Structures are given as C-alpha cells and as structure tokens.
Amino acid sequence: MRLPGRLSAAIDVLTEVETRRRPVSEALKSWGQANRFAGAGDRAAIGNLVYDALRRRASHAALMGDDSPRSLVLAVAVRDWGENPKALSQSFAGDAHAPEPLTEAEIARLSAPAPEMPAHAAADVPEWLAQSLERAFGDSWVDEGRGFAGRPSLDLRVNTLKSSRERVLKSLARFNPQPTAVAPLGVTMPAGARDARTPNVTTDEGYLKGWFEVQDQGSQIVATLANARPGDQVLDLCAGAGGKTLALAAAMDNRGQIFAFDSDRARLAPIYDRLKRNGARNVQVRAPESGALDDLAGKMDRVVVDAPCTGTGTWRRRPDIKWKLTPELLAQRLADQSAVLNQATGFLKPGGHLVYITCSILPQENDDQVQALLATHTNLAVVPAVEAWQAAFGTTIPSGLATELGGVALTPHRTNTDGFYCIVLRRLA
C-alpha cells in the first residue's frame, strides 16, 4: 500500500474506535483480518498513524479546528511524519484507495504555524486533569504531558536466572539494542519514526529460552525499588500476569519465597507459563479463593502492591484510554487502592516493608493515598526516597524524582520511561 491508502485505512480504523468505542488493538486487528492483502509493513504503518493521532489528539485538533478522524490523521501525516500538505493532496489524485483530496481550508491549516492553544491542548491531556497534573509537576506539567504524547521504546528485562545483559545484547544485535540508562538489567530499542516497525522479539530464541522478558524500564525500576533479597518472604498481592513477580524471583536468585496472588483469575492465568519459561522456582501462585492468604498474616518481609489504577502512566502505549478516563472511573480506582492498601498492611511482620506501586501520574492515586493510609496506620512510616533508592541501587537518586511525601515518580520527560510511582513503607511494630 502507498501512503494515501494507509491514511485512508487509518481514518477508517480511528472512526471505528471513535464511533463504536472499541479498543485500538481490537479495531486494528479487525481491519487486518478484513484486509488480508495488507502486509506486515502496511499494518504497522496504519497502527502508527492511529496511535500517533490519539497521542496528540488535543493539539492536532487545535491545529485543524476539528477532531474528526480525517483531521487527526492528516495532521499526523504533516505535523508528525513531515509530509507537505499540497504534495500530499496531489498524491491522492488517481489513487482509488486514497481519501478525498485536501480542501483549501485543510491545506491552509496544515501549512500555518501551530496556533495558540489552551495549556491542556498543548500538553495533549484531558482538560479536567490539568489541575491534577499541575499539582503533580508544577510549572513543568505541560512538558510532562507532552512527554506522554511521544512513542515509547521497546524495553526488555534480562532474566539473570538464565542469562546476562551482555548475552542478550549480542543475541539481539540485529535490532541495535542498548543498555537502559537506569535499570541495571534493562535493554532498550528506541521507537522509530513514521512507519517504523517495532521488533518482534517474542519470536526470538532468547525469549523462548527465558533469557529476557518485555518490560518497560520504569516497571523494572520500581521492581528494583522493592529491594527483595534472597531468603525473603514476599507477597505480590496484585501479581497480574507476573511481570514484577518474575523480576522479584530473579532478584532473590530463586531463594526465599514469593506468594503471587491476584483477585482476578484471568489476569493471573499467564503467570504459570511465564514462571516455567523464566526458570522461577521460588514462586507459589495463590488462586483467588476464600482464605487463600490467611496463613500469611503478619509473616511477610515485603508486601508488594502494584495497585489497580487509571493507567495514566501508560498513555504512550495506550493513548485511547487517555481520552476515555472519567472522574467516575478515577473515583472507583481510588476506592480499589484504599481497600488493597488496608488489606496489605495485615501481612507485614514487624520491620517488614510495604511497597506501593502504581502506573499512574495522578497525585490522588499516589502520595494522597499513602497520606490517607498513614493517618489510619500509625505503625507505618515512609522510607524516604533517597534511602530507598540507595538501598536498592547503591547510588544517589537522580534529581527531581522524589515526591513531596518521599515516593519516587518516573515519567517519559524525566526518565524516558512509562509513568510510575513507587513508595516504600516500613512497619514499626
């Protein structure tokens, strides 16, 4: 397919997403199944157009004076992919798969400098979240928002139970991987421009042998901050598919015990195959049944709570959820987090550590939640970010990452990672 056909397909997919409220991944898959003539390169390019349109939806709409799928995709082609408006319109002529030629008004808007726009549009975030983001990031909140409008890198975590970073770098050399800047066992491949395809590393021999897992560097960093040690008794209370469980098992060198639990069986299901592939032998999966964790009360050295959240930290990878988030959904997630934090405290032994993690950048889900927990649990104290970072990494925490309460906040703008929050609490008695 030529670019005009790809643009037309992206408009169709985005229309499907907007009108039927379908997840982007499902709409793209459905389009691919209905158009089997399209090759892998075509599907990748169309996916990039759709995701780029959603990442910068607000600023593209401000440029075009319209947020229709056509306007957003045309803005991506010109503003992000560097196409010339007039030349682009001319390329549509005679192409049966192209969109309608650009109007004079569209060419004028696409040719003009970016207009003045409200701060939330410049940041490419929902207007109702502007106040929260300003509270989280101060004067730099617009730049932080723009960081979430870019494409994410592909990050891997080396599984030290089976391999080394040097070995993984060598095995994936054809993709030009690089060591991550912060995570000590990470490997990264920066996102390409325009129609660049993301490497399919899950078919690589090293992945199949368990040498590495796909995991954002930010996720690796917060798993390291949990500071699990060989011999520890650890409860991963919201284990999900087991990404952080696997990181903890490797950090513990298969010594001690990890209890992996999740209240949702479907989320937990993939963990079994992943544990086997990674060679993680110190993990006991606890199914969500009544009394499944009763025997662990008051016995855990560490309780890791990767809490259910709004996912605002994943906006680069899932930009559609940015525009679907509502105050009602935020309120539900706050209630979920409060409940799981209160549950988690009961498993700590004296001197044990509670590690609270979210993939959110909203203060309501992060420092505010911990402040509320401390108000009702006087036997808990924050381990300051400086101390937690030094204990986990053996280095001084980078400037600007510590939150007011003593947590650690990661963002694309600050650390070139997804957005994550992590804070460590110690049980005093």
Side-chain angles (χ1 to χ4, degrees), residues 47-56 145-156 180 187-194 196-199 214-219 312-320 322 411-413 415-420:
N48 284 347
L49 286 165
V50 171
Y51 278 105
D52 286 349
L54 289 170
R55 290 183 181 110
R56 303 182 69 184
R146 286 172 174 155
F148 284 97
R151 293 183 183 179
S153 59
L154 173 63
D155 297 344
L156 315 174
T180 47
V187 171
T188 186
M189 284 153 274
R194 290 178 60 99
R197 295 168 62 181
T198 301
V214 177
Q215 187 176 24
D216 178 75
Q217 183 186 189
S219 182
T312 52
T314 67
W315 278 347
R316 296 186 303 170
R317 302 179 193 279
R318 301 180 62 199
D320 51 331
K322 173 162 53 173
T411 67
H413 183 63
T415 50
N416 197 29
T417 67
D418 285 350
F420 277 95

Side-chain angles (χ1 to χ4, degrees), residues 198-246:
T198 301
N200 183 11
V201 296
T202 57
T203 60
D204 186 82
E205 177 186 21
Y207 176 81
L208 298 175
K209 290 183 176 180
W211 292 359
F212 61 83
E213 285 287 323
V214 177
Q215 187 176 24
D216 178 75
Q217 183 186 189
S219 182
Q220 296 178 49
I221 291 170
V222 296
T224 302
L225 282 168
N227 201 26
R229 299 299 187 188
D232 278 353
Q233 298 291 302
V234 179
L235 171 60
D236 190 353
L237 190 55
C238 304
K244 293 182 181 66
T245 304
L246 296 171

Side-chain angles (χ1 to χ4, degrees), residues 109-123:
R109 281 188 171 275
L110 289 167
S111 301
E116 291 291 327
M117 61 185 73
H120 76 273

Side-chain angles (χ1 to χ4, degrees), residues 31-43:
W31 185 92
Q33 291 173 339
N35 298 272
R36 295 189 180 277
F37 64 86
D42 295 321
R43 294 193 299 272

Side-chain angles (χ1 to χ4, degrees), residues 360-385:
S360 174
I361 55 174
L362 303 180
Q364 298 98 310
E365 299 185 90
N366 298 334
D367 273 4
D368 290 1
Q369 283 285 30
V370 178
Q371 194 72 65
L373 181 71
L374 293 172
T376 57
H377 292 76
T378 57
N379 64 338
L380 295 176
V382 173
V383 177

Side-chain angles (χ1 to χ4, degrees), residues 61-362:
L63 172 70
M64 299 299 292
D66 176 39
D67 67 351
S68 68
R70 173 183 168 90
S71 291
L72 296 178
V73 171
L74 291 177
V76 170
V78 173
R79 191 179 181 196
D80 297 341
W81 289 35
E83 294 292 321
N84 177 275
K86 291 183 178 179
L88 183 65
S89 186
Q90 291 169 0
S91 73
F92 291 179
D95 190 324
H97 302 290
E100 290 294 318
L102 276 67
T103 65
E104 289 298 323
E106 288 173 331
I107 292 175
R109 281 188 171 275
L110 289 167
S111 301
E116 291 291 327
M117 61 185 73
H120 76 273
D124 273 299
V125 300
E127 183 175 6
W128 71 275
L129 287 177
Q131 186 176 7
S132 292
L133 296 178
E134 186 172 10
R135 185 156 72 90
F137 302 118
D139 293 340
S140 66
W141 75 272
V142 173
D143 290 333
E144 293 285 354
R146 286 172 174 155
F148 284 97
R151 293 183 183 179
S153 59
L154 173 63
D155 297 344
L156 315 174
R157 179 188 57 80
V158 174
N159 176 22
T160 53
L161 296 175
K162 288 193 170 184
S163 193
S164 65
R165 182 148 74 172
E166 292 72 21
R167 190 178 188 184
V168 171
L169 287 168
K170 184 177 180 179
S171 72
L172 298 174
R174 64 192 182 280
F175 298 130
N176 299 313
Q178 301 294 324
T180 47
V182 181
L185 298 172
V187 171
T188 186
M189 284 153 274
R194 290 178 60 99
D195 58 356
R197 295 168 62 181
T198 301
N200 183 11
V201 296
T202 57
T203 60
D204 186 82
E205 177 186 21
Y207 176 81
L208 298 175
K209 290 183 176 180
W211 292 359
F212 61 83
E213 285 287 323
V214 177
Q215 187 176 24
D216 178 75
Q217 183 186 189
S219 182
Q220 296 178 49
I221 291 170
V222 296
T224 302
L225 282 168
N227 201 26
R229 299 299 187 188
D232 278 353
Q233 298 291 302
V234 179
L235 171 60
D236 190 353
L237 190 55
C238 304
K244 293 182 181 66
T245 304
L246 296 171
L248 296 170
M252 295 167 65
D253 196 26
N254 266 338
R255 289 179 283 167
Q257 188 74 51
I258 301 172
F259 301 92
F261 176 85
D262 198 280
S263 60
D264 187 323
R265 287 180 184 274
R267 283 199 302 262
L268 195 61
I271 197 172
Y272 299 97
D273 287 341
R274 297 181 77 185
L275 290 171
K276 183 177 179 180
R277 188 178 66 249
N278 278 259
R281 299 187 302 273
N282 67 329
V283 179
Q284 183 181 134
V285 181
R286 295 285 181 96
E289 299 171 351
S290 177
L293 302 176
D294 288 354
D295 61 316
L296 306 183
K299 297 179 181 179
M300 294 295 102
D301 295 295
R302 298 182 191 277
V303 178
V304 178
V305 178
D306 188 1
C309 69
T310 56
T312 52
T314 67
W315 278 347
R316 296 186 303 170
R317 302 179 193 279
R318 301 180 62 199
D320 51 331
I321 69 170
K322 173 162 53 173
W323 310 108
K324 295 177 181 178
L325 182 59
T326 63
E328 292 75 21
L329 180 57
L330 172 58
Q332 179 59 57
R333 291 293 173 264
L334 293 177
D336 295 340
Q337 292 154 11
S338 179
V340 75
L341 277 172
N342 279 285
Q343 179 189 13
T345 61
F347 298 106
L348 288 172
K349 72 179 187 181
H353 292 82
L354 171 60
V355 184
Y356 177 59
I357 298 167
T358 73
C359 54
S360 174
I361 55 174
L362 303 180

